[in-house]
Every structure is written in structure tokens, then in C-alpha cells.
Amino acid sequence: MKLLFLGDVMGRAGRRAITDNLPRLRQEWKLDFIVINGENATSGIGLSGAHAKTLLEAGADCITLGDHAFDQKDMLQFIEQEPRVIRPLNFSKAAPGKGARLFTAQNGRKVLVAQALGQVFMKRPFDDPFSAVEPVLKTHPLGGQAAAVIVDMHCEATSEKMAMGHFCDGRASLVVGTHTHVPTADAMVLPGGTAYLTDAGMCGDYNSVIGMEKAEPLRRFITGMPRERFIPAAGEATLAGVYVETDDRTGKAARIAMVRNGGLLEAAAP
Ligand SMILES: [Fe+2]
Ligand SMILES: [Fe+2]
């Protein structure tokens, strides 16, 4: 299968890059299944139901969220009606929606997508992501009912993401990090056959501070004082993420390639 995972969509610039480019890339790259992290698609904070629909209509087969999962309050209801949106497994015991789900790709094959939140340097304490992911992988062995397994590890620390990659190695087709909004350059296939990238980066305007218009973040770093609200940067966005080809028999990764399309970042394509 040909899988595409795109990192955190940041505000209007990110949404526009998705709607303008994803339908074409889906054709060009013959993609079977697309996952988009949507946790910042609405004004940089959370995801509204309306914007979730925008991403789904542009070609997302699944949308993952993150620590900002329910910052747009209508997502509390929307996620119960729209099974293509999932939130982290370990967000909160009281959270609506699911943290993992088996999807059917357009070619009829099943794809499991799961998301977990890390614990290191995160603003809120979350439960252990490793014990959250374990039963999901056990229930859906790779190459069984699930032709592909994708794990979105949403956290700050590169070490924690890399540990999750090795934890899932041989049991997932792809483990990819999200949340930091900066792509890392370590796309690889781990020894057990799991494609891995520490962070997918964001789908947003990189002439910014992690997607926010840079004046206010700079002011806060320089003076230590807030003055205005953060606003998502509005210039041309780069679509950033990762492309993976899996072996149809085993579900393991045959190939991984970084994706950077449009905007300021140096281009990369499968
Ligand atoms: Fe996040
Ligand atoms: Fe994010």
C-alpha cells in the first residue's frame, strides 16, 4: 500500500495547502490511504467540525488530533458522529471518541490508525503511552486483518518518539511523530520493518515561529511579556510529512520518503 501521513495542519494557510494540493498528490502518487494531523487546523488551536470536513473532503481518510484535541468545543460532539477523526488513546478517560480505529482504504484493505500522547515536557500529565499502544497492537497484528498499522506519537521529546518507534518495530507499518511542527531528517525503516520519522513537521507557513505569526512569539522570548494573542502565520504553507510503501503480504515498510511540498521548505517527494 501507498500511505501518506501529513503533520499538524496549522490554521488557514495549512488548510489551503491541503485543499489546493492534496487531491492532485493523491492521484500523482497513487495514494491508498492518507492520514492528516488536524490538531491546529482551526486558528492554530484545535479542530472544528467544519474544518474537519474540509480536510476529509480534500482526501484525508483519517484525521488524528493531539493535546489540542478538544480546544474547539464542537469537536466534543463531532468526534462521536465522525469515526474518521480519532484523538489520543491516553488523552483522558472522560474524553469522547476513540484513540484507535480500523479503517477501510479505497482499495478495500484495512488500515489501523492509533494515536498516543507522550509524557516528557508536555503541559499536562498524560497516562503512559506505551501501555496505551500495547493492547491495540496486540489486538491488530500486522499482516493479519490490518494490512497496515500507523501510529501517530504526539509529543515534544525526540527520545520518547524514538522509543515508541522501537517499541512498535515489526508491529507497525509506520510510527511517526507530530506536535513539534518542525520536520526531522531521520526517515528510516527500522530493523524490524517499521517506517519511522521522529516528526512529520507541520502543514503551515514556515516563515513563523512553529506556525504562529512571528512578532508576538519573538516579543515574548525577548521581553518575557505577552502583549497580543498568537495568530497563525498566513503565508504559503509547506505540506510536510512522510510517504510509505508497505509490503502487501507482511504490512511492513518497503520504503519511506520525506514529503515537503510548496512554501519555504526545500522540496522533497517520493
Ligand atoms: Fe500538539
Ligand atoms: Fe500541533
Side-chain angles (χ1 to χ4, degrees):
M1 292 183 80
K2 295 182 168 70
L3 314 172
L4 178 69
F5 185 101
L6 293 175
D8 309 34
V9 176
M10 189 67 197
R12 180 175 296 147
R15 297 196 312 269
R16 190 185 301 134
I18 298 273
T19 50
D20 286 356
N21 297 293
L22 193 59
R24 174 179 51 82
L25 294 177
R26 174 161 215 142
Q27 296 293 323
E28 261 176 41
W29 297 345
K30 300 183 168 58
L31 300 169
D32 296 308
F33 199 81
I34 301 172
V35 183
I36 300 181
N37 183 295
E39 74 147 1
N40 308 106
T42 301
S43 314
I45 317 154
L47 176 66
S48 67
H51 291 157
K53 283 182 185 157
T54 304
L55 301 180
L56 292 166
E57 277 161 20
D61 296 294
C62 167
I63 299 173
T64 57
L65 293 169
D67 51 319
H68 292 292
F70 300 107
D71 288 2
Q72 298 291 325
K73 295 298 167 238
D74 75 328
M75 185 50 70
L76 290 164
Q77 285 84 43
F78 188 84
I79 199 167
E80 306 255 46
Q81 304 147 21
E82 179 46 84
R84 290 176 289 177
V85 181
I86 63 168
R87 45 77 175 169
L89 288 161
N90 55 339
F91 187 89
S92 150
K93 292 211 170 32
K98 287 196 166 182
R101 197 183 290 274
L102 198 60
F103 294 83
T104 305
Q106 286 183 358
N107 63 7
R109 310 200 69 180
K110 304 279 187 205
V111 179
L112 179 88
V113 185
Q115 185 182 43
L117 279 161
Q119 296 180 300
V120 180
F121 306 136
M122 299 299 278
K123 278 186 192 139
R124 284 204 292 129
F126 297 106
D127 289 345
D128 164 29
F130 296 90
S131 56
V133 166
E134 179 64 29
V136 177
L137 296 181
K138 274 230 169 78
T139 316
H140 303 279
L142 191 57
Q145 196 190 6
V149 172
I150 299 171
V151 177
D152 172 355
M153 179 59 174
H154 192 83
C155 64
E156 198 74 54
T158 49
S159 55
E160 197 174 14
K161 296 189 216 210
M162 214 174 243
M164 182 59 81
H166 290 295
F167 182 73
C168 299
D169 189 18
R171 302 194 287 166
S173 312
L174 168 66
V175 175
V176 58
T178 51
H179 177 73
T180 73
H181 294 199
V182 179
T184 57
D186 58 338
M188 62 179 145
V189 178
L190 297 173
T194 296
Y196 174 78
L197 177 66
T198 294
D199 204 294
M202 67 168 168
C203 297
D205 175 7
Y206 281 78
N207 180 19
S208 68
V209 174
I210 62 169
M212 292 298 183
E213 207 290 309
K214 60 200 180 219
E216 179 64 14
L218 275 170
R219 180 182 297 121
R220 293 192 196 185
F221 277 118
I222 294 163
T223 68
M225 292 294 290
R227 192 197 289 170
E228 287 158 16
R229 290 198 313 172
F230 290 134
I231 321 160
E236 188 192 340
T238 303
L239 290 188
V242 67
Y243 166 92
V244 175
E245 277 178 36
T246 61
D247 179 309
D248 281 338
R249 200 172 40 82
T250 62
K252 292 184 180 183
R255 195 163 90 79
I256 182 167
M258 293 185 65
V259 169
R260 295 183 299 271
N261 189 276
L264 276 188
L265 292 195
E266 182 199 20

